[in-house]
């Protein structure tokens, strides 16, 4: 192990109690998307105390953080990314407390040796990953411009680095019909609920003919009030996902056609609206990922990839379509545990979770050393990114 890598690992060891404390605090004080006031302040304070030039609040998001290490010179720019939002009802069932602590640990550790390295080191605190798209908003504000390598860790039921995510778009569908007595004068009504049900039925007929790995899933958010009133309003909320951004857009049009058909069949008026939550597919950079895997292996942590192409969606996808990126998964629980479950929430607060967080902090810090110490690596990453 190089001297610099040895030093960043020692730094993480020295920071262990602090990082465990940060993870524990965020875990025990779950905050929903864009309300991560306490987590963001804690991270910003730690970075400021370590001498980083900290901006709390960026791109119009109060809980976003951009913290730059003061030693800046010509050379590559490395971004270490942290998330810290929780899920409604089940707290840190996505383990973002571990992501925050690992990213903080990596940034502080690289900061310790930054004086001996060229380039620029930036910590990005990216709020609202769970449906808010904090990174999408920060990317649109140009905050990732000039970055050569963006990296983060995510806890999981497997360890895998070269892994994609699905492009996703969220859609609200509303139908407006006409209320009438459902028994006395049903012929005078237009049934908005039937239009929603017909949309689901058409969609289910479509499923046989869509590409493997795509996902279209919805819930009915309004199905009327009482059986004796023909529902004048009904609505549903869908997520449309696919392995490629373009195919996700194609599926969106197919869903629109299903809804338009239902409107025509029932006479209800359709309102079809894209809402929030639209993430691009993850484009993992292999050169950056291979470096992380080698560093992980040197720490005694091997890969354990899933046997199927099980994928979710993340706003890190949008960052990965802008600059060379990795979104590395480290295992914190048995393989059969699902994300966003009670079991996963327990793992995010467990000793296994803490060990993965500390290992990820070292792996990210060592990979940052790789990028900062060798400008040729950035050239190769960009060549791969541009398809060269
Ligand atoms: Zn997550």
């Amino acid at each position: 192990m190089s001297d610099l890598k040895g030093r960043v690992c020692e730094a993480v060891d020295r920071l262990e109690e602090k990082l465990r404390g940060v993870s524990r605090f965020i875990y025990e004080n779950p905050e929903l998307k864009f309300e991560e006031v306490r987590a963001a302040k804690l991270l910003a304070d730690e970075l400021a105390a370590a001498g980083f030039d900290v901006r709390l609040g960026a791109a119009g998001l109060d809980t976003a953080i951009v913290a730059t290490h003061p030693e800046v010179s010509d050379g590559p720019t490395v971004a270490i990314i942290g998330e810290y939002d929780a899920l409604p009802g089940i707290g840190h069932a996505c383990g973002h407390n571990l992501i925050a602590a690992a990213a903080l640990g990596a940034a502080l550790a690289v900061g310790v040796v930054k004086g001996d390295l060229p380039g620029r080191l930036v910590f990005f605190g990216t709020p609202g990953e769970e449906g808010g798209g904090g990174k999408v908003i920060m990317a649109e504000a140009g905050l990732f411009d000039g970055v050569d390598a963006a990296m983060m860790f995510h806890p999981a039921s497997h360890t895998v680095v070269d892994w994609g995510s699905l492009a996703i778009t969220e859609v609200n569908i509303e139908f407006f019909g006409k209320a009438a007595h459902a028994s006395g004068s049903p012929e005078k009504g237009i049934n908005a609920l039937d239009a929603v049900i017909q949309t689901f039925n058409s969609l289910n007929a479509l499923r046989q003919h869509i590409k493997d790995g795509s996902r279209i899933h919805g819930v009915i958010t309004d199905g009327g009030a009482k059986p004796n009133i023909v529902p004048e309003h009904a609505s549903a909320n869908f997520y449309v996902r696919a392995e490629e951004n373009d195919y996700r857009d194609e599926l969106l049009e197919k869903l629109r056609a299903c809804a338009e058909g239902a409107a025509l069949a029932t006479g209800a008026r359709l309102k079809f609206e894209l809402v929030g939550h639209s993430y691009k597919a993850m484009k993992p950079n292999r050169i950056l990922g291979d470096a992380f895997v080698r560093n992980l292996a040197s720490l005694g942590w091997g890969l354990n990839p899933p046997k199927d192409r099980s994928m979710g969606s993340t706003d890190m996808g949008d960052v990965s379509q802008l600059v060379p990126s990795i979104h590395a998964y480290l295992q914190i629980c048995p393989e059969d545990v699902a994300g966003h479950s009670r079991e996963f929430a327990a793992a995010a607060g467990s000793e296994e979770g803490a060990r993965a967080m500390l290992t990820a902090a070292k792996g990210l810090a060592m990979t940052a050393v790789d990028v900062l110490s060798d400008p040729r690596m950035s050239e190769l990453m960009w060549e791969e990114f541009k398809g060269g």
Side-chain angles (χ1 to χ4, degrees), residues 83 94 96 129-130 154:
E83 299 171 357
C94 205
H96 293 186
E129 194 282 327
E130 297 292 353
H154 199 298

Side-chain angles (χ1 to χ4, degrees), residues 83 85 93-96 99 129-130 152 154-155 313-314 327 340:
E83 299 171 357
D85 58 327
C94 205
H96 293 186
I99 300 178
E129 194 282 327
E130 297 292 353
M152 63 173 283
H154 199 298
S313 303
T314 166
H327 185 271
H340 292 194

Side-chain angles (χ1 to χ4, degrees), residues 50-352:
F52 281 66
D53 174 9
V54 179
R55 258 167 73 197
L56 174 56
L61 305 173
D62 292 344
T63 51
I65 302 167
V66 182
T68 308
H69 192 273
E71 312 246 14
V72 177
S73 61
D74 286 348
T77 293
V78 167
I80 293 172
I81 292 181
E83 299 171 357
Y84 28 83
D85 58 327
L87 289 157
I90 46 174
H92 276 289
C94 205
H96 293 186
N97 58 305
L98 299 173
I99 300 178
L104 176 68
L108 295 181
V110 179
V112 169
V113 300
K114 182 64 187 68
D116 296 332
L117 285 165
R120 195 161 65 103
L121 168 68
V122 191
F123 172 99
F124 286 97
T126 62
E129 194 282 327
E130 297 292 353
K135 294 183 198 64
V136 180
I137 296 163
M138 292 171 78
E140 279 166 2
L143 293 175
F144 300 111
D145 294 357
V147 168
D148 294 296
M151 48 179 120
M152 63 173 283
F153 134 78
H154 199 298
S157 56
H158 290 85
T159 296
V160 63
V161 177
D162 183 19
W163 202 249
S165 68
L166 301 176
I168 182 171
T169 293
E170 182 177 355
V171 180
N172 272 342
I173 291 176
E174 271 183 285
F175 288 101
F176 301 89
K178 191 167 184 297
H181 196 292
S183 170
S185 44
E187 73 285 355
K188 293 186 177 137
I190 295 175
N191 194 322
L193 174 61
D194 278 342
V196 166
I197 292 169
Q198 191 55 49
T199 301
F200 273 90
N201 288 339
S202 299
L203 188 61
N204 287 337
L206 174 69
R207 288 188 199 283
Q208 186 191 344
H209 307 288
I210 66 176
K211 287 188 194 173
D212 281 353
S214 307
R215 301 275 189 268
I216 309 176
H217 42 111
V219 292
I220 296 179
T221 46
D222 178 16
K226 281 284 173 193
N228 66 353
I229 311 165
V230 172
E232 63 176 343
H233 179 266
S235 59
N237 180 227
F238 285 94
Y239 289 177
V240 178
R241 312 192 202 220
E243 291 192 24
E244 300 106 36
N245 301 321
D246 291 352
Y247 192 60
R248 183 263 325 259
D249 295 344
E250 236 178 82
L251 290 179
L252 215 48
E253 289 315 305
K254 289 181 192 285
L255 173 59
R256 189 196 299 271
C258 291
E260 283 172 349
L264 194 61
T266 58
R269 183 170 59 79
L270 166 68
K271 186 174 167 201
F272 186 94
E273 201 181 12
L274 307 188
V275 285
H277 204 194
S278 182
Y279 299 169
K280 291 180 178 153
M282 180 76 202
K283 174 177 166 180
N285 190 274
R286 201 161 294 237
I287 290 170
L288 189 58
D290 286 350
F292 183 83
V293 169
R294 278 195 298 275
N295 291 322
L296 213 53
S298 78
L299 297 166
W301 194 291
L303 296 178
N304 175 25
K307 281 151 203 77
D308 54 22
R309 293 290 295 163
S310 143
M311 284 191 279
S313 303
T314 166
D315 60 3
M316 189 62 190
D318 290 67
V319 178
S320 78
Q321 299 285 346
L322 278 181
V323 303
S325 302
I326 54 168
H327 185 271
Y329 295 95
L330 266 69
Q331 186 168 6
I332 63 162
C333 56
E335 291 175 13
D336 59 353
V337 171
H340 292 194
S341 65
R342 300 273 171 202
E343 295 78 7
F344 199 88
S350 70
E351 179 56 26
E352 284 77 11

Side-chain angles (χ1 to χ4, degrees), residues 25-39:
F25 177 84
I26 296 175
Y27 185 76
E28 286 173 354
N29 297 279
E31 297 169 299
L32 298 183
K33 63 177 175 186
F34 301 135
E35 293 169 6
E36 316 94 329
V37 181
R38 293 208 276 178

